[in-house]
Amino acid sequence: MWDDAFPSFLIGLREGLEAGLIVSILVATLVRAGARSRLPQVWTGVLAAIALALSFGAVLTFTAASLSATAQEAFGGTLSVIAVAFVTAMVFWMRRSAPSLSGEIKDKVTGALGMGAGVLVATSFLAVGREGLETALFLWTTAQAAGESAGPLTGAAIGLVLAAALCWGLYRRVLRINLTKFFTATGAVLIVIAAGVLGYGLRDLQEGGVLPGRTSYAFDLSGSVDAGAWYSTLVQGVLNLTPAMTVLQVLGYGGYLAVVMTLFVRGVRDTAPRRVPTGVPTRVGTETAESAEATDATDATDATDASAATEAGAAGLPAAQPTPAPRRRPAWLVPVAVVTVPALIAGGAIVLGRPKPAAAETVAVSDKECGKGFSAPKPGRQTFQMHNTGDKTSEVYLVDPATNAVYGEVEGLAPGTTRALVATVAGGTYAWRCVPSSGPAVTSKAVRVSGGGTTQAVVPVSEQDLSGPLRQYRSYVDKGLATLVGQTRTLAADIKGGHLGKARADWLTAHLTYSSLGAAYGTFEDFDQKINGRADGLPDGVHDKDFAGFHRVEYGLWHGESAASLTAPAQQLATEVEGLRQAFPHQDFDPSDLPLRAHEILENTLQFELTGDTDEGSGTNLATADANLAGTRELLTVLRPLLTTRAPHLLPTVDADIARLQTLLDAARHGGTWTPVAQLGATVRAQVNGATGQLLEDLSPVPDLLEIRKSA
């Protein structure tokens, strides 16, 4: 998580230190002026600035959540570019203003003391508010880039806490820091980070259709760079450099870094402080000392009305009549107001910013009335009520009739029923395709929508598209089965000869070969139960006469059974494997099942191997999980050409997930042995389960992306 947290940690530390220094100077100046009673006004302004920053963050988050996927990309990209502009301006402003910051703030406070309380509140609010807004914007953009909020929020929180501690230390004279050097060093690092945020923002704008060049890659190293390695994760999290970047991303990143860093370094040299005599502190240093001395200052006392009246009487003048005390407002009123008002304004902005749902259009679905009631919708997120007016269960798709690209679908719509279909509509041509359970597909009359930008669509896949990957995968399985036949024969020979120690090693070799072939959800029909069946559900469990295959042999080998009792089960296993090899070339394999395998293999892994449910004594469930991962990787290899054109960002993410899980599994291997699942520490087991679950989640779009859809 630290790779995602570091940019936010740095911005939290730097912005928090800037705001903290300003608050420290404000407090010290008031204390030195004997105006401690005005300190609540400073804290009220600070509280208002914090409330504004939090409200601004809420507006960004909830506004983006209500947008379509394409609009979210454009919105996030725009804010990323704005955040880079703000951070760049902040870096240069602090470099220029650090030496004279204290004097400027003191002058403002001195002027505010002669005016009303509202002026001092406004002074502290404006001084801190800018840093708060910059922090909220930059934190939001880094969270978007990271794809999650835990890391960036944690980093920012640590940075702000550390900044508060540093400011307290400076105020109390516990610490001495050369602030000019600090802001110079952090400014240089922030420029590098901002270059990555700019590159990420430009990519978002390309994905949102605002900028061109979405598929024009300057380089694509996803096939040769381990995206899940620690160094890849660190570089991507901190610098936003990814294995594949477009030409525009590279130009934006490199151009910004070259220009801004050059100007920054040149400015640092031009404003380098002249050498001063030893013992003469700089202005920033003296302000820190003065702030500390101010904590010992006593409050100034004003003349009271009573003493004034006494002096007037002594002079023979009539005593002034006492002026009625002004009605004071409750002390809590202003702080509550400065928190409530931004929150209410933010809530109103969120509510008003949400798109109002349009009245859903009812569209008929049948082989005779497909698309009846459909008129050209307005661009944006739309809901259509699909009503089956026919007598057959149907599937219905919103398509581009020219390319057959699918924008939305409803499956299994029964006769007489109505279901909602939600889709984002942009400029283009749209039609409905109704596919009844029997009979030909029917496509409605097309309508044209003008404007509205772009939207994502699923490019259709045909049986012909999947025939090549299917041939490759069948060839892979066929070769694996040939190898497996020899391995199970060796295993049976070991047991028959009484070499049980060797049999244990050969059992694992053969079982991993089988597991790497993707045997999930009945891939090998009845043979899978005979070769790799479990004891669960059998009347006598592991002692049931029908318990057979790898796990039957495993139980015997690791529970002290004799070679004589295991000879028959081992020979039966070898026979079933030979039968599978002979039958496999003639088995009917639906091409549409191939994309499902990429997800189903790991579903089985999470359900059986990672729970220890299939461990019959060998303690090698993690080895089996490793083999299952190899089978998943092989499936993705044959499907990669189809996925690359339909979801170019999916595979780099999946590759990173696979590498992360592979690293965790490798850590459980110790030469020829594996750590049993039951002996994993709670943290490591949670990491393995979490990495597998994340990979499953990222693989979940594959079946939909590569679903064979019937066309007219």
Side-chain angles (χ1 to χ4, degrees), residues 521-587:
Y521 289 85
T523 301
F524 299 138
E525 298 178 351
D526 294 338
F527 281 101
D528 184 53
Q529 181 62 31
K530 298 174 182 177
I531 294 173
N532 204 41
R534 295 175 294 112
D536 296 355
L538 297 177
D540 296 325
V542 294
H543 303 293
D544 196 275
K545 61 181 179 61
D546 292 327
F547 184 35
F550 276 110
H551 292 301
R552 168 66 184 92
V553 176
E554 176 190 10
Y555 181 84
L557 286 173
W558 273 272
H559 284 82
E561 288 191 23
S562 65
S565 65
L566 286 174
T567 298
Q571 184 58 52
Q572 182 64 29
L573 172 62
T575 301
E576 297 297 349
V577 168
E578 177 64 39
L580 173 59
R581 184 193 177 193
Q582 297 298 326
F584 180 73
H586 309 289
Q587 286 183 346

Side-chain angles (χ1 to χ4, degrees), residues 269-288:
R269 291 174 179 172
D270 293 343
T271 58
R274 296 181 180 179
R275 186 173 182 179
V276 297
T278 304
V280 179
T282 61
R283 187 167 190 179
V284 173
T286 56
E287 288 303 336
T288 303

Side-chain angles (χ1 to χ4, degrees), residues 333-658:
L333 183 60
V334 174
V336 170
V338 299
V339 173
T340 304
V341 170
L344 291 175
I345 294 175
I350 293 170
V351 172
L352 294 176
R354 289 183 181 274
K356 297 180 180 179
E361 188 177 70
T362 300
V363 180
V365 178
S366 74
D367 54 355
K368 297 180 180 179
E369 294 185 318
C370 183
K372 183 179 179 181
F374 179 52
S375 58
K378 294 181 179 179
R381 194 170 179 84
Q382 302 291 341
T383 300
F384 303 95
Q385 295 296 335
M386 312 308 300
H387 180 63
N388 191 339
T389 60
D391 56 1
K392 302 173 184 176
T393 299
S394 296
E395 297 179 359
V396 58
Y397 306 109
L398 180 62
V399 301
D400 180 343
T403 65
N404 291 324
V406 177
Y407 296 98
E409 63 183 295
V410 170
E411 297 181 342
L413 185 63
T417 61
T418 302
R419 283 164 56 188
L421 185 152
V422 180
T424 300
V425 176
T429 305
Y430 297 86
W432 292 104
R433 179 160 296 147
C434 305
V435 185
S437 55
S438 61
V442 179
T443 303
S444 73
K445 180 180 178 181
V447 299
R448 179 74 184 173
V449 176
S450 300
T454 60
T455 186
Q456 297 288 338
V458 177
V459 180
V461 174
S462 65
E463 288 192 20
Q464 183 64 31
D465 293 329
L466 285 172
S467 61
L470 181 57
R471 282 195 302 271
Q472 295 178 53
Y473 187 65
R474 290 183 73 107
S475 175
Y476 164 76
V477 173
D478 195 54
K479 291 178 181 177
L481 289 175
T483 301
L484 184 63
V485 167
Q487 292 172 342
T488 52
R489 287 175 179 172
T490 299
L491 172 62
D494 291 340
I495 293 176
K496 185 176 181 180
H499 308 299
L500 298 187
K502 186 174 183 297
R504 293 186 185 94
D506 289 340
W507 174 89
L508 180 59
T509 300
H511 188 240
L512 296 185
T513 297
Y514 182 78
S515 299
S516 68
L517 301 181
Y521 289 85
T523 301
F524 299 138
E525 298 178 351
D526 294 338
F527 281 101
D528 184 53
Q529 181 62 31
K530 298 174 182 177
I531 294 173
N532 204 41
R534 295 175 294 112
D536 296 355
L538 297 177
D540 296 325
V542 294
H543 303 293
D544 196 275
K545 61 181 179 61
D546 292 327
F547 184 35
F550 276 110
H551 292 301
R552 168 66 184 92
V553 176
E554 176 190 10
Y555 181 84
L557 286 173
W558 273 272
H559 284 82
E561 288 191 23
S562 65
S565 65
L566 286 174
T567 298
Q571 184 58 52
Q572 182 64 29
L573 172 62
T575 301
E576 297 297 349
V577 168
E578 177 64 39
L580 173 59
R581 184 193 177 193
Q582 297 298 326
F584 180 73
H586 309 289
Q587 286 183 346
D588 184 21
F589 201 106
D590 189 342
S592 62
D593 285 345
L594 192 61
L596 294 173
R597 294 287 172 262
H599 192 267
E600 291 171 344
I601 294 173
L602 289 176
E603 277 188 342
N604 274 11
T605 303
L606 195 62
Q607 182 180 0
F608 300 122
E609 273 66 48
L610 296 186
T611 60
D613 185 65
T614 54
D615 185 0
E616 296 296 351
S618 68
T620 59
N621 273 28
L622 292 181
T624 306
D626 183 72
N628 289 341
L629 186 62
T632 301
R633 191 184 287 111
E634 181 64 29
L635 275 166
L636 291 173
T637 298
V638 302
L639 295 174
R640 187 172 290 269
L642 295 176
L643 291 172
T644 299
T645 57
R646 289 164 175 80
H649 295 293
L650 175 65
L651 286 174
T653 300
V654 168
D655 289 341
D657 291 342
I658 290 176

